[in-house]
Amino acid sequence: LSGGFPDACVVNKMINGKQCTVCWYVDDVKISHVEESVVEDLVSKMQEEYGKEAPLTVNRGKIQEYLGMKIDFSNENKVVFSMRDYTKNLLEECPDELLMGGVAASSAASHIFNVNPKAPKLNEEKAEIFHHLVAKLLYLSKRTRPDIQLPVAFLTTRVREPDIDDWKKLGRCLCYLNDNRDLDLTLEITLPFIIRWWIDAAYGVHRDCKSHTGAAMSLGKGCPINGSRKQRINTRSSTEAELVGVNDYMTMVLWVRLFLEAQGIEVVDNIIYQDNKSTMLLEKNGRQSSGKNKTRHFEIRYYFIHDHIKRGTTRVEYCPTDLMVGDFHTKPLQGSAFRRFRAIIMNLPSDPVLDPMTDSQECVGTSSETSVRQPNLFEDRSRPQDKDSWTEVARKRRNPRTSKNNSRSA
């Protein structure tokens, strides 16, 4: 086996004209090849080499269980990740008072980032329970439940000195999880291979005035990589906050492309979607767009995305805020916005209240319903489209009545 770049834990070898891939984590190994005989031959060789003292445990089939996850390859062209048993056990060990908040339609209330310095601190016993449950939720959110990443990301910043408000916020997240314990993460790939990133930042939302970065990546349907994290430095504007947010995830943006290409996959495009045009100018033009001393103080390392745009390894494209998937990991969305982005990120069946790719709005003062098409987030926008641009669609969604009057006058 050969070729570990850019990840030393994944190697490939061409056998019978087809690629055999072996990846491992600590003492666990996963082998794949289109021919079952090739896999069996490799397993037998590993048994001879490493199974002398005790036989290796071998699991075969399209359904695998690993580190609390159930990985299901049964359906063609898709894979389903679930942790229902883990979720059930987590909820069973929660104190009853944390699950007495009733039904929660979203994982976080709108005041999730608010901190009251006068709120009573938790006693030592409750603080330990708080830390334990937040750690377990963090493990769950990073694997199969990205819909709880935002509240968990905030709660991880409160484990040192949690107060009664943090206890209630934890309870809200657990109530939501209890009401939606059977949601799974389903991933599908669409061709050609286009990597799409949505990276956003919420400016100055933390108590120390630091911003919060959110990111989601998709190769078709569902997002295998999601992130929600507090930024490490303070910024002076939302433009700076979004530039720092992109910088935080640039290593992953580049690594994903390198990894896929090392696996023999031709990556057609690597797009970063942004909803701040000032940030996009800084990323595209570098220091040339840093006028009037507003961003001249920024360290040069925050402009290295400009170099990669020039080299063609990635590019940035405008995305209206209404369609910014990264918002799901930076803002405590509620109602239809929360359900729509959750369905997109986790590739859930169409929401009975609101389909993730379409939206209907009722015009005020009229009895008829105006349907406003929400563009497919995954269609290719590198070539001209006959349909409305994202900016035009966002404008129509904000004021459908004005759009209708304009069409009549035309």
Side-chain angles (χ1 to χ4, degrees):
L1 296 173
S2 62
F5 181 80
D7 195 320
C9 294
V10 180
V11 292
N12 305 307
K13 183 178 182 180
M14 299 301 293
I15 302 177
N16 298 338
K18 300 294 182 179
Q19 181 172 291
C20 176
T21 300
V22 178
C23 53
W24 59 88
Y25 178 75
V26 190
D27 59 349
D28 297 308
V29 179
K30 179 181 178 297
I31 306 171
S32 62
H33 192 274
V34 295
E35 298 179 17
E36 186 177 350
S37 59
V38 173
V39 176
E40 293 297 332
D41 179 60
L42 187 53
V43 170
S44 63
K45 292 180 179 178
M46 294 178 66
Q47 286 279 19
E48 294 177 3
E49 182 68 23
Y50 303 105
K52 297 176 181 178
E53 296 186 5
L56 302 180
T57 301
V58 181
N59 297 314
R60 301 175 176 85
K62 294 187 176 182
I63 299 179
Q64 299 288 329
E65 293 190 6
Y66 184 64
L67 297 178
M69 292 183 291
K70 181 179 179 182
I71 309 173
D72 189 348
F73 295 92
S74 299
N75 297 316
E76 188 175 0
N77 297 325
K78 68 171 62 175
V79 56
V80 180
F81 294 85
S82 61
M83 296 180 68
R84 298 188 182 186
D85 290 340
Y86 180 94
T87 303
K88 178 183 177 182
N89 294 334
L90 187 156
L91 292 169
E92 286 178 350
E93 66 178 87
C94 292
D96 292 339
E97 64 176 293
L98 284 174
L99 299 176
M100 294 177 63
V103 177
S106 62
S107 58
S110 57
H111 58 272
I112 181 69
F113 290 111
N114 294 349
V115 176
N116 179 9
K118 297 181 180 180
K121 303 297 182 183
L122 297 181
N123 59 42
E124 185 176 350
E125 181 183 358
K126 276 193 171 181
E128 186 175 347
I129 295 174
F130 179 89
H131 196 162
H132 172 72
L133 291 176
V134 170
K136 297 203 73 171
L137 286 172
L138 179 63
Y139 184 83
L140 176 65
S141 68
K142 289 295 185 180
R143 280 149 183 82
T144 66
R145 295 302 299 265
D147 53 328
I148 64 171
Q149 277 203 14
L150 176 62
V152 172
F154 171 78
L155 293 173
T156 56
T157 68
R158 304 291 300 164
V159 293
R160 290 187 177 181
E161 293 184 334
D163 57 37
I164 189 65
D165 289 342
D166 299 321
W167 184 259
K168 293 177 181 178
K169 292 170 184 177
L170 173 62
R172 164 68 180 248
C173 181
L174 291 169
C175 285
Y176 166 80
L177 190 63
N178 188 41
D179 296 332
N180 300 272
R181 61 173 67 192
D182 292 335
L183 296 183
D184 302 328
L185 174 63
T186 303
L187 304 178
E188 299 180 58
I189 291 178
T190 57
L191 298 177
F193 264 91
I194 299 178
I195 309 170
R196 304 177 191 273
W197 290 86
W198 291 267
I199 303 178
D200 192 43
Y203 174 62
V205 293
H206 287 276
R207 185 187 176 190
D208 55 2
C209 296
K210 291 180 180 177
S211 302
H212 197 90
T213 302
M217 186 279 287
S218 179
L219 294 170
K221 294 182 179 181
C223 297
I225 298 178
N226 293 274
S228 182
R229 65 173 69 166
K230 179 181 178 180
Q231 293 186 357
R232 294 185 176 91
I233 65 172
N234 288 93
T235 52
R236 301 199 311 168
S237 67
S238 59
T239 297
E240 292 182 11
E242 298 220 10
L243 187 61
V244 171
V246 175
N247 176 77
D248 288 344
Y249 282 93
M250 269 303 293
T251 53
M252 288 298 295
V253 170
L254 301 175
W255 177 85
V256 169
R257 177 165 196 157
L258 289 172
F259 180 78
L260 291 175
E261 290 177 341
Q263 291 301 107
I265 296 172
E266 180 183 357
V267 177
V268 176
D269 208 347
N270 191 16
I271 310 172
I272 301 174
Y273 292 110
Q274 297 245 261
D275 61 359
N276 189 311
K277 292 185 177 180
S278 297
T279 303
M280 293 174 62
L281 286 174
L282 288 170
E283 293 163 349
K284 290 180 178 180
N285 302 327
R287 288 284 184 179
Q288 295 180 14
S289 292
S290 186
K292 298 182 179 179
N293 296 322
K294 289 184 177 179
T295 52
R296 291 184 180 274
H297 62 285
F298 254 47
E299 297 179 34
I300 196 66
R301 65 192 178 106
Y302 291 113
Y303 292 102
F304 87 104
I305 184 176
H306 169 62
D307 180 53
H308 284 282
I309 290 175
K310 289 177 61 177
R311 292 164 57 185
T313 54
T314 187
R315 67 184 179 91
V316 293
E317 186 173 313
Y318 177 71
C319 169
T321 301
D322 286 354
L323 306 177
M324 172 51 68
V325 181
D327 266 3
F328 189 82
H329 297 308
T330 62
K331 302 173 182 66
L333 302 177
Q334 308 296 325
S336 61
F338 177 84
R339 295 191 298 270
R340 181 174 71 248
F341 285 135
R342 180 183 66 179
I344 293 171
I345 289 172
M346 300 183 68
N347 192 15
L348 302 175
S350 297
D351 193 292
V353 179
L354 180 66
D355 187 277
M357 293 302 178
T358 59
D359 191 8
S360 295
Q361 296 182 358
E362 187 176 345
C363 293
V364 178
T366 65
S367 58
S368 61
E369 184 179 274
T370 301
S371 295
V372 181
R373 176 187 178 272
Q374 176 171 311
N376 189 328
L377 297 183
F378 305 106
E379 69 186 21
D380 185 5
R381 300 185 183 278
S382 60
R383 56 178 66 93
Q385 301 287 330
D386 295 332
K387 301 168 185 176
D388 291 335
S389 67
W390 283 23
T391 307
E392 179 66 15
V393 171
R395 184 183 67 80
K396 287 183 178 180
R397 291 184 60 189
R398 286 193 294 270
N399 195 347
R401 190 177 186 180
T402 302
S403 301
K404 187 173 183 179
N405 292 337
N406 290 343
S407 63
R408 283 178 177 175
S409 61

